[in-house]
Amino acid sequence: MDAVKKVLDRVLTVVCVVLFSALVLTVAWQVFARQVLDSPSGWSEELAKYLFIWLGLLGAALVFGERGHIAVDVGVRRLPAGAQRVLAAVVQLAILTFAATALVWGGYRVVVLAWDQNLTGLPVNVGSLYLALPLCGVLVAFYALHHLLATATGAERATVLETDRDAV
C-alpha cells in the first residue's frame, strides 16, 4: 500500500502542477485579451473556474495524503499512546465516512444530474467537470484507509509533530 501511495502522490503532484500552470496561463490570457486586445474571452473565465475547482479538490486530497492539513491535537497529545491511536482511528473512520458519502456518492449523483448539461463557453458537458468530486472522494478515502492502517500497525504516529512533518 505504501508503494501505491508513493506513486499516487507523485502523479497527483504532477497533475496539480499541470492544473496550476494551466490556470495561470488561462487567467493571464483572460487579462491580456480583456486589457490589451479589448476583446474579452468567453471561454477563459469558465475554464479558469473549473481548473480552480479541480486544482482545489485534487490539491486537498494530496495534502490530506501527506497529513499536511491543520490539526488541533493539543488535547490528543496529552493522552496515552493507546488512546491516541484509538482517537486517530475514529478520526480516520469519520473522514472515510465523509469521503464515501458526501464526495463519492454525492459527487456521483451530481455528475449524473449534470451529465447532459452543456457549457456555453467550453465544448464539454458540466457532468464531466463535476467528476472532480467523486475522484477526490476516492483519493481521500484511499488516504484515510492508508493512515488508518499505518496508525494501527504502528508504521505512522497517531499525531504528527511539527518536526515529523518533513518525514511524512
Side-chain angles (χ1 to χ4, degrees), residues 108-119:
Y108 170 76
R109 293 193 63 214
V110 169
V111 168
V112 169
L113 287 172
W115 194 260
D116 294 327
Q117 297 176 12
N118 293 319
L119 289 170

Side-chain angles (χ1 to χ4, degrees), residues 22-132:
L23 179 62
V24 168
L25 291 173
T26 302
V27 171
W29 170 255
Q30 185 178 9
V31 171
F32 178 78
R34 180 176 292 142
Q35 299 299 325
V36 176
L37 301 178
D38 199 26
S39 176
S41 172
W43 60 268
S44 61
E45 184 175 347
E46 283 192 51
L47 181 60
K49 179 174 40 175
Y50 287 107
L51 285 171
F52 185 73
I53 291 168
W54 274 81
L55 178 62
L57 288 170
L58 294 180
L62 177 63
V63 171
F64 179 75
E66 295 174 350
R67 293 185 72 178
H69 284 292
I70 295 172
V72 181
D73 57 359
V74 174
V76 176
R77 289 185 189 182
R78 296 173 191 246
L79 296 173
Q84 286 183 9
R85 280 195 299 278
V86 169
L87 192 55
V90 169
V91 167
Q92 293 303 324
L93 287 171
I95 292 168
L96 182 60
T97 302
F98 172 78
T101 56
L103 293 173
V104 176
W105 183 71
Y108 170 76
R109 293 193 63 214
V110 169
V111 168
V112 169
L113 287 172
W115 194 260
D116 294 327
Q117 297 176 12
N118 293 319
L119 289 170
T120 56
L122 296 174
V124 294
N125 60 10
V126 177
S128 62
L129 295 174
Y130 285 166
L131 283 172

Side-chain angles (χ1 to χ4, degrees), residues 135-158:
L135 177 61
C136 175
V138 169
L139 293 170
V140 168
F142 170 79
Y143 283 130
L145 281 173
H146 177 269
H147 293 315
L148 180 65
L149 293 174
T151 302
T153 60
E156 197 174 89
R157 288 186 181 181

